[in-house]
Amino acid sequence: MANSRFEYVRTFERENILLPQTHIIIRIDGRGFHKFSSAYEFQKPNDPNALKVMNLSAQALMKSIPDVMMAYGDSDEYSFLLRKNCDLFERREFKLITAFSSGFSAYYQYYWNIVFPNKPLSVERLPTFDARAVVYPSDSIVKDYFRWRQVDCHINNLYNTSFWNLVIKGHLSPQEAENKLMGTVSSDKNELLFKEFGINYNDEPEMYKKGTVFIRDVRDTLDLVPNSDVNLSKRQVERLRGKLRKVTINELHCDIIKEEFWNKRAWLLK
Amino acid sequence: MANSRFEYVRTFERENILLPQTHIIIRIDGRGFHKFSSAYEFQKPNDPNALKVMNLSAQALMKSIPDVMMAYGDSDEYSFLLRKNCDLFERREFKLITAFSSGFSAYYQYYWNIVFPNKPLSVERLPTFDARAVVYPSDSIVKDYFRWRQVDCHINNLYNTSFWNLVIKGHLSPQEAENKLMGTVSSDKNELLFKEFGINYNDEPEMYKKGTVFIRDVRDTLDLVPNSDVNLSKRQVERLRGKLRKVTINELHCDIIKEEFWNKRAWLLK
Amino acid sequence: MANSRFEYVRTFERENILLPQTHIIIRIDGRGFHKFSSAYEFQKPNDPNALKVMNLSAQALMKSIPDVMMAYGDSDEYSFLLRKNCDLFERREFKLITAFSSGFSAYYQYYWNIVFPNKPLSVERLPTFDARAVVYPSDSIVKDYFRWRQVDCHINNLYNTSFWNLVIKGHLSPQEAENKLMGTVSSDKNELLFKEFGINYNDEPEMYKKGTVFIRDVRDTLDLVPNSDVNLSKRQVERLRGKLRKVTINELHCDIIKEEFWNKRAWLLK
Amino acid sequence: MANSRFEYVRTFERENILLPQTHIIIRIDGRGFHKFSSAYEFQKPNDPNALKVMNLSAQALMKSIPDVMMAYGDSDEYSFLLRKNCDLFERREFKLITAFSSGFSAYYQYYWNIVFPNKPLSVERLPTFDARAVVYPSDSIVKDYFRWRQVDCHINNLYNTSFWNLVIKGHLSPQEAENKLMGTVSSDKNELLFKEFGINYNDEPEMYKKGTVFIRDVRDTLDLVPNSDVNLSKRQVERLRGKLRKVTINELHCDIIKEEFWNKRAWLLK
């Protein structure tokens, strides 16, 4: 190409290839969603329609990228688990994370327009998401990763449920509510909800307490996921991805901390 | 937090901080835009409305991120130059590239819906963009980077103009057109366009031949861009970004290969 | 400190922390040892005294760094396996590899002076070694790593034995010997050695054919190696390293390709 | 090769190529030299013979690697500046830093045996050095880097001179000396040295106060260092390195903080 004189600038490009044979998890996270949720007047503590947009987006992304075996999310974040041997974008980090950040943003805007026909998005405040990829060398750490996110969901939801009840029903100012909750532990908040507002936290919707799990259910087609992609031809990988694309994706709102969840779905970490 | 038991998983996170005191360029690139442009029946060789969506998106992104001093794009790609001392996201690579990939995707979908009210986007084929960041240690390499992109724009546009005239007006099949152009140099294509289709390539629109440049014009407020952010307080950085945000952004379709362009706008690389 | 004005230069330093919970292998390799072995007139194809210097150095390095569980080497290279949970130098790559490269070089020079009292080292040609670290996420890949090195040892030794017999006993020039061996497979070389020089390759010394293995034998003190360092205090880690330091190091010249070797020594990969 | 079955393990290797067109500085640092200097009974505060071994080693390393334009060191550390366009080891970080760490260690042991014939090194305590590489994108930061090291040398030497005079001549315990110096500034220490021990710090040897600088003096052969290696053939690079190898290396003990030093030697940063 006639380009050669300037093409040397490519030598400055750097590439990070994520370590092979490790689990890749990509987590997307809403950018500035505190302000976003205020500007579009999300219902508090949880807006079922806004969560619906999140979940539809996560599911659509998972459908479009067959290497995603599982997704877990709550609030304005979602974590996607790629199958261990996946060679998507040759495991190039920048390709992976920008595919997830831009893909999720695109789905979110698309579904927002459907779910909220009466809340048009302003060009000054469009929904966007950042994304990071982390590799984990063993199954047990992957499980602990998802446990970490679910514990976080629980802690945040209990706090937010308490906080917003104090503000909305208890007529406290945000600052007063914050002060009241400072230093409290879980049992304190459970008691407060029950005594002051007659709310039994255990009866709150599972989706709020546990978040949302999507599972690619290859149970009946376990041979789909090979032990290694190393010996697969490009054609075989494409065929595999085609099959994975057709597998049912199940939505759950269950405990993923106990071993039981993982034991029942051993294929997730295969 | 009660999280501590699982929180060790964070020790697996890796962070790449882009080298300080270097120019960061972030290039976004349409994912699968060959198929995208077919599916939405882009006009060939250039679709002015599709380019309008690109340019509106680039301009909006540049407005929203005041550290961007210049943008250059054509076809389905755009390169953004950040001011040398910028400390956006503390120069963390994953934050930077996913902000640009998701931000650009969001604007593109938004403006598409406005520019193409009769071509609704299908959820099966939403526009997404990947993004990569590269750091360049000197002004002269930054200039060569943009020259590289503009030479590339020229080469591609001359080829595409020839190819699509052969197909549309010359009634060749794509394969025949490709064969006819194989091995030709620029002057051959210029001659072919003139002799067979009466087209003087020089008279083609500047935007197609040269691409689009956006410039943050701090000419009259040169003191805006400091020599270094090192000694600025957080507050001063915020004030600086606020001022940069208000500076006019000019759209140009001009030569950026000659030194003249750069000499006239010395502040770009300050 | 009065240093502050210039100390900003430290912000340019970059640090690579090797992924936790993976096996680290560090391989050292003689720099320019082709010329080194000519200059100091090594016996060909194998110089037992030069190998002795290599082995003494590897053993001394292993003694001084108790986190090394195993070492394997031949010719001018050695690979060191660190225990999986080891947190030596907080897994900082530059510290790890320069400790091994400079440590091995230091021992080599020290033992050279003892083993070769009549071949003083010239300042123009001192022995030096480069070092690289690679992390492997699973036991089976670690085994394959060492198998890779032993297969390499075998291939090289069979070639070198054939080559040098052709040159020394067969009176061929190096070029003639190279030509003669071009395109031959293992069985050809075995036959050549036997027919032309009466050498049964199987009877060659095990150390030449298989290389050298050093094992830290914690068999009787299996509780030494914990499942994880995460919960150990600094003091406990120090005590552990102190104990590992005292454990016997065994020298072997055996097959490490078959599973048997690894099954017998499960602690190596614990 | 018959190796193929296991050779996949190489896909786990990672490579860091240092950014082109930036200055590389490699700093070596004695490992555990506090204990090393006690064990071999270094003269305090400065041991001229031990410094001689350091300086001989730095000079020898600089001679053997012609891309080093300048070295600066004191105590148990040395910093080496590579010429900006140098492509040594294709700028691969692991090769660069292990070449410097093992090379410096090798020279140090070699010269130790010459300078200290009566202090044989013990195998339990051989001298080793770690090494790190940092890239700097501009001349002014490179200057500040060396200024940082010289300021550090000054601060440490003033402290050590005071400390050891208090201990040796003042008969204080190390703890008492430390307490006495706590919170003192430079002028306090100068006064203390003068009043208590009749020492005018300004009269101390320049090498102790300023450290040691080695310069590759290409003054009369300025055309040696090209503006860029990009267009040089391998042969031209080799010829260039051959010439640089022959250029005189000067030893200085001067101020490198003032601009004067750098203005006089513009080629260093060319």
Side-chain angles (χ1 to χ4, degrees), chain B residues 16-248:
Chain B
N16 187 25
I17 305 289
L18 297 177
L19 196 69
Q21 303 284 342
T22 55
H23 296 282
I24 298 173
I25 293 177
I26 296 173
R27 180 168 75 245
I28 61 90
D29 204 6
R31 294 185 56 223
F33 258 54
H34 194 73
K35 283 185 183 170
F36 185 88
S37 65
S38 301
Y40 293 107
E41 300 174 325
F42 279 25
Q43 202 175 307
K44 293 295 184 180
N46 290 290
D47 186 312
N49 282 320
L51 288 173
K52 194 174 168 186
V53 175
M54 285 295 291
N55 292 346
L56 284 167
S57 303
Q59 197 174 13
L61 190 58
M62 197 163 161
K63 267 184 197 158
S64 75
I65 303 181
D67 304 276
V68 177
M69 298 304 282
M70 169 178 170
Y72 171 80
D74 74 294
S75 182
D76 64 342
E77 72 162 61
Y78 248 98
S79 298
F80 298 91
L81 172 67
L82 275 59
R83 63 192 182 83
K84 191 169 174 182
N85 298 307
C86 121
D87 197 37
L88 188 59
F89 303 123
E90 296 92 51
R91 300 176 83 89
R92 289 185 289 168
E93 189 181 27
F94 87 92
K95 282 277 185 187
L96 284 164
I97 63 177
T98 61
F100 275 75
S101 67
S102 76
F104 199 92
S105 301
Y107 286 123
Y108 193 97
Q109 185 173 157
Y110 178 86
Y111 284 116
W112 177 280
N113 291 336
I114 290 170
V115 172
F116 291 110
N118 300 320
K119 282 192 190 178
L121 289 164
S122 149
V123 69
E124 308 290 338
R125 203 175 289 288
L126 294 176
T128 57
F129 294 81
D130 62 28
R132 73 183 311 157
V134 187
V135 303
Y136 292 105
S138 78
D139 293 2
S140 66
I141 311 175
V142 170
K143 295 179 197 171
D144 282 351
Y145 172 85
F146 284 105
R147 287 164 178 147
W148 173 52
R149 299 324 301 144
Q150 192 169 62
V151 169
D152 201 64
C153 166
H154 166 69
I155 290 170
N156 289 335
N157 190 58
L158 180 55
Y159 183 91
N160 289 336
T161 306
S162 307
F163 177 89
W164 287 106
N165 272 290
L166 286 170
V167 169
I168 294 169
K169 298 192 194 156
H171 306 296
L172 263 55
S173 74
Q175 190 55 58
E176 288 167 344
E178 200 183 317
N179 291 343
K180 181 148 189 172
L181 292 172
M182 200 170 289
T184 59
V185 295
S186 290
S187 54
D188 299 330
K189 295 192 194 79
N190 275 306
E191 202 177 309
L192 179 150
L193 283 171
F194 191 69
K195 286 205 174 151
E196 297 204 17
F197 308 107
I199 291 170
N200 188 336
Y201 183 73
N202 284 334
D203 298 340
E204 289 289 292
E206 290 298 298
M207 184 169 77
Y208 299 168
K209 290 183 303 180
K210 300 270 201 316
T212 299
V213 189
F214 287 107
I215 293 293
R216 193 176 297 276
D217 195 344
V218 299
R219 198 176 326 208
D220 303 326
T221 40
L222 267 185
D223 51 316
L224 280 188
V225 192
N227 284 320
S228 158
D229 282 16
V230 172
N231 300 316
L232 298 185
S233 66
K234 283 222 162 184
R235 196 173 187 164
Q236 286 172 310
V237 168
E238 271 323 297
R239 205 178 304 152
L240 166 63
R241 299 184 81 224
K243 282 180 186 167
L244 284 173
R245 206 181 285 275
K246 285 175 201 150
V247 166
T248 314

Side-chain angles (χ1 to χ4, degrees), chain D residues 182-222:
Chain D
M182 200 171 292
T184 59
V185 295
S186 291
S187 55
D188 299 330
K189 297 193 191 76
N190 274 306
E191 202 177 308
L192 178 149
L193 283 170
F194 191 71
K195 287 204 173 152
E196 299 205 15
F197 307 107
I199 292 172
N200 188 337
Y201 183 73
N202 284 333
D203 298 340
E204 289 291 291
E206 290 298 297
M207 184 168 77
Y208 299 168
K209 291 183 302 180
K210 300 269 200 319
T212 299
V213 189
F214 287 107
I215 295 291
R216 193 177 297 278
D217 195 345
V218 301
R219 198 176 326 207
D220 303 325
T221 41
L222 267 185

Side-chain angles (χ1 to χ4, degrees), chain C residues 1-3 5-10 12-15 27 29 31 60 65 89 92-95 97-107 109-111 113 121-124 126-137 140-142 144-145 147-149 151-152 155-156 257, chain D residues 1-3 5-10 12-15 27 29 31 60 65 89 92-95 97-107 109-111 113 121-124 126-137 140-142 144-145 147-149 151-152 155-156 257:
Chain C
M1 277 275 173
N3 261 350
R5 198 172 123 223
F6 303 124
E7 218 156 6
Y8 78 91
V9 300
R10 302 209 66 177
F12 292 82
E13 295 177 3
R14 291 292 168 269
E15 190 86 89
R27 181 169 74 246
D29 203 6
R31 295 185 57 223
I65 302 182
F89 303 124
R92 288 186 290 168
E93 189 181 27
F94 88 92
K95 283 276 185 185
I97 63 178
T98 61
F100 276 75
S101 68
S102 77
F104 199 91
S105 301
Y107 286 122
Q109 186 173 158
Y110 179 86
Y111 285 117
N113 291 337
L121 289 163
S122 149
V123 70
E124 308 289 339
L126 295 176
T128 58
F129 294 82
D130 63 28
R132 72 184 311 158
V134 186
V135 302
Y136 292 105
S140 66
I141 311 176
V142 169
D144 282 351
Y145 172 85
R147 286 164 178 147
W148 173 52
R149 298 322 302 144
V151 169
D152 201 64
I155 290 171
N156 290 334
I257 294 174
Chain D
M1 277 274 173
N3 260 350
R5 199 172 123 224
F6 303 125
E7 217 156 7
Y8 77 90
V9 299
R10 302 207 66 177
F12 291 82
E13 294 176 2
R14 291 293 168 270
E15 191 86 270
R27 180 169 74 247
D29 204 6
R31 294 185 55 223
I65 302 181
F89 304 123
R92 287 186 289 168
E93 189 181 26
F94 88 91
K95 283 275 185 187
I97 63 177
T98 60
F100 276 74
S101 67
S102 76
F104 200 90
S105 300
Y107 286 122
Q109 186 173 158
Y110 178 86
Y111 285 116
N113 291 336
L121 290 163
S122 148
V123 70
E124 309 290 340
L126 295 175
T128 58
F129 294 82
D130 63 27
R132 71 184 312 159
V134 186
V135 303
Y136 293 104
S140 66
I141 311 175
V142 170
D144 282 351
Y145 172 85
R147 286 163 179 149
W148 173 53
R149 299 322 302 142
V151 169
D152 201 64
I155 291 170
N156 290 333
I257 294 173

